[in-house]
Amino acid sequence: MREFGYQRAYDVSGAVALLDGDPDARFLGGGTNLVDLMKTGVERPALLVDVRELPLNRVESTPDGGLRIGATVTNSDLAAHPEVRRRYPALAQAVLAGASGQLRNMATVGGNLLQRTRCGYFADVTADCNKRVPGSGCPAIEGEHHNHAVLGASDHCVATHPSDMGVALAAFDAVVSYETADGPGEVPLTDFYLPVGETPHRETVLPPGALITAVTLPPAPVAAVSRYRKVRERASYAFAIGSIAAALDVQDGRVREVRLAFGAVASRPWRARAAERVLTGAPADAETFAAAADAELAQAKPLPHNGYKVTLMRNLVVAVLSELAEEATR
């Protein structure tokens, strides 16, 4: 690890000013991903601006009935917050499905959204990788890709986004707030991540030097009946090979409202809008759930070793929605 500077920030404007105009500086939250990448040489910042002391560590109700989550709220505090558990249970479940207890105690909401892919070629500085070195190639397409993307990938990158939290936030239409030297801004989470396209090294719409300050969840009564389910290759402390965040409202046997997002199948949390269109107003039964999954997964383009994800996600959709439909009608 090369030498780097360190400075702690105590207010948002000061933090932004420290990073402004310095492409080699990085914000440091919990450091659970960034420090790992510094150890391997993927990240080589000249300056770390520690933002853990900023006054962004609260979960607050908004006047319209939503929740505003500060960017430095730890994953553990977010998952344990009573209003998160009551109003958005899938979000609490998603957070608890990620990493270990020790890591959740350190990791922050802002950092979770900005964590980088766990593609082995990205993490190996001796390998080519278009995300790490634009134009160098994507060896995963012909190599190891059993856990890579089946939706929204390109010939330039097939890596997946690792966040569990982000999948639930996408399902509930979360909005990301940020601060720059030119003032504040906000963007829906579903627009926060750029399509991988020909520029996989450009991952988000955040302006250079922007600091994430909060994530706001709009009021969503449907979220009270919601679930996050994660499939992984071992029982604990592993990234997903497929996951789903779902919320369902059923009235008179038909779907009145639904939210659906997939994880570990694309370069970003994948909001399943095609499936939602099939489901809305349709009978709340297994046949409809399967048809909805098929509608979403029709756009999947699996590689030779990750086609199993299409079947996996179809089964997850049917299983989780069936459980929620039963729960919603009790």
Side-chain angles (χ1 to χ4, degrees), residues 11-307:
D11 59 74
V12 170
S13 60
V16 172
L18 283 170
L19 211 74
D20 186 37
D22 187 350
D24 291 328
R26 298 285 187 275
F27 291 122
L28 176 70
T32 55
N33 184 215
L34 175 60
V35 174
D36 279 349
L37 294 176
M38 291 170 64
K39 292 176 180 175
T40 59
V42 173
E43 286 279 2
R44 297 169 60 83
L47 172 67
L48 291 182
V49 177
D50 189 337
V51 298
R52 289 292 293 258
E53 297 299 322
L54 299 183
L56 304 172
N57 61 347
R58 298 184 62 184
V59 178
E60 302 171 293
S61 293
T62 59
D64 63 358
L67 287 179
R68 182 176 173 87
I69 304 162
T72 62
V73 171
T74 67
N75 290 14
S76 293
D77 287 346
L78 179 64
H81 196 280
E83 290 304 307
V84 173
R85 297 169 67 89
R86 183 176 71 86
R87 297 194 226 172
Y88 308 91
L91 175 57
Q93 295 163 14
V95 174
L96 290 174
S100 64
Q102 293 92 334
L103 288 171
R104 290 195 295 271
N105 288 341
M106 287 294 294
T108 62
V109 170
N112 187 285
L113 297 183
L114 294 177
Q115 63 181 307
R116 311 295 299 277
T117 179
R118 262 58 176 185
C119 175
Y121 299 103
F122 173 78
D124 180 359
V125 295
T126 67
D128 294 331
C129 173
N130 285 326
K131 186 179 286 291
R132 181 168 35 75
V133 182
S136 62
C138 179
I141 293 173
E142 299 292 334
E144 172 55 52
H145 56 246
H146 83 283
N147 192 22
H148 285 58
V150 296
L151 292 166
S154 76
D155 293 338
H156 300 273
C157 182
V158 293
T160 57
H161 195 274
S163 175
D164 295 293
M165 179 193 301
V167 181
L169 291 175
F172 299 143
D173 293 327
V175 175
V176 179
S177 297
Y178 59 86
E179 187 77 23
T180 72
D182 296 326
E186 62 180 30
V187 60
L189 184 70
T190 49
D191 298 330
F192 181 76
Y193 299 103
L194 291 166
V196 67
E198 298 180 356
T199 55
H201 60 288
R202 297 182 62 241
E203 295 180 336
T204 77
V205 300
L206 278 181
L211 171 69
I212 294 177
T213 53
V215 177
T216 300
L217 287 165
V222 66
V225 181
S226 64
R227 188 155 300 162
Y228 182 78
R229 182 160 298 169
K230 174 178 181 176
V231 179
R232 45 192 161 187
E233 292 178 324
R234 63 177 187 236
S236 66
Y237 195 21
F239 293 97
I241 57 174
S243 68
I244 180 173
L248 193 68
D249 182 22
V250 176
Q251 188 171 49
D252 299 328
R254 290 186 173 272
V255 176
R256 184 164 65 174
E257 186 175 0
V258 61
R259 305 289 181 88
L260 202 59
F262 299 165
V265 293
S267 62
R268 51 184 170 165
W270 187 267
R271 183 67 180 270
R273 297 196 185 280
E276 290 179 349
R277 287 193 289 272
V278 171
L279 288 162
T280 303
D285 56 32
E287 290 75 19
T288 299
F289 302 153
D294 290 341
E296 192 67 46
L297 295 165
Q299 53 192 311
K301 295 180 179 178
L303 295 165
H305 303 148
N306 66 359

